[in-house]
Amino acid sequence: MIDDGSLWLVFILIGLATTLPRAGFIVLGSRVSLPGTLQRALRYAPAAALAAIIAPDILVVGNTVEPFNPKLAAAIAAVVAALLWRNPWLPFIAGMAVLLGLRFLLAN
Amino acid sequence: MTTSFRAGAHAGFTAFLPLSVGLVPWALVMGMAMTSTGFSPLQAMGMNVIVFAGTAQLGTLPLIAAEAPLWLIVVTALALNLRFVIFSAALAPGFRGVPTHERWLAGHLLTDGVFATCLDKMLSVDDPRWRLGYYLAPAVWSWVLWQAFTLIGIFAAGIVPKAWSLEFMATIALLVLLVPMARIRPMLVAAVVGGLSATLLRNMPLRLGIVSGIVLGIAAGFAAERFEHGRKDHD
């Protein structure tokens, strides 16, 4: 874990990287606008970024791609719960139950 | 506070209240995830107040925990926040007649839920005070709910044993955000390409694999959109 001072610097920079995109056009008003093509391409950034963070975490064990592991199974359970039901708690319950259940079974 | 500001605030709050319940599990998970990463309650609440963005916070936590370089953390946060550039541009005409300092406040408090609730009225109502009230009431309410339930999550995480791997809740939270996006086909392409590239390129230095994954994902999503349009034109 990094030290306390650098952590606060990280928070401030992430804060700027959040407030500036949010406030930018609201503050500038109608004086500026984004080119349409760029706007359309940027729509894919959040999905690409989320997947780029999640995928290595659930596919890689040690340093090998492991298509059968408890985290991946738990992720699939969470996605299925999110697709089938509107209850916001279910993906967490399903995912954690599969993760802890499989780890328990594999350890015994 | 003018009468029309209060009338707008009342209307905005009423429209948003049922939706706002959805923030509660996120905030609880956020608190737990920051605690499992190793933040003290003060550091966790500090991040929560300074950043105030579930996706950017959850997405950068694994990078902070892995001591990734600062620029990568910032680039990742920016990528996760790019949607707000589009929201902000869409809402901008709704802030005509509103002073600059109130625009900064409104921008800082912009969230997905507030955008979805307010866009329509912001663009159709004439009175700037009414519009600002309609926007700020749900925005401030989201902020209060978010801070309160994150704090509860921080203390709830303290009493849960480490073997329960609560930090995996953060991964589940990111997945739950991704699921509705990936219902649109080019978005799904962007996610699959982004995820697989980041996995295959994971041994690149400076965690460049994640940035490459994001860039390749955006390119693939955009190409898929073009391909779909092309096909429709020929049908």
Side-chain angles (χ1 to χ4, degrees), chain A residues 50-51 53-55 57-58 71-80 82-83 91-92 95, chain B residues 26 55 58 168-182:
Chain A
L50 287 174
I53 294 162
I54 300 167
D57 182 39
I58 59 177
K71 275 190 176 179
L72 182 59
I76 293 169
V79 168
V80 170
L83 283 172
F92 295 98
Chain B
W26 293 109
T55 316
L58 284 170
F168 194 69
M169 304 252 283
T171 305
I172 298 177
L174 296 174
L175 274 169
V176 173
L177 286 173
L178 184 57
V179 166
M181 294 181 191

Side-chain angles (χ1 to χ4, degrees), chain A residues 34-71:
Chain A
L34 275 182
T37 315
L38 186 62
Q39 266 197 45
R40 282 216 307 284
L42 286 183
R43 283 199 324 230
Y44 297 104
L50 287 174
I53 294 162
I54 300 167
D57 182 39
I58 59 177
L59 289 172
V60 179
V61 180
N63 194 23
T64 30
V65 174
E66 209 45 88
F68 301 101
N69 76 72
K71 275 190 176 179

Side-chain angles (χ1 to χ4, degrees), chain B residues 82-98:
Chain B
L82 278 175
R83 67 185 187 287
F84 289 122
V85 176
I86 297 155
F87 295 174
S88 186
L91 278 169
F95 285 91
R96 64 190 187 280
V98 173

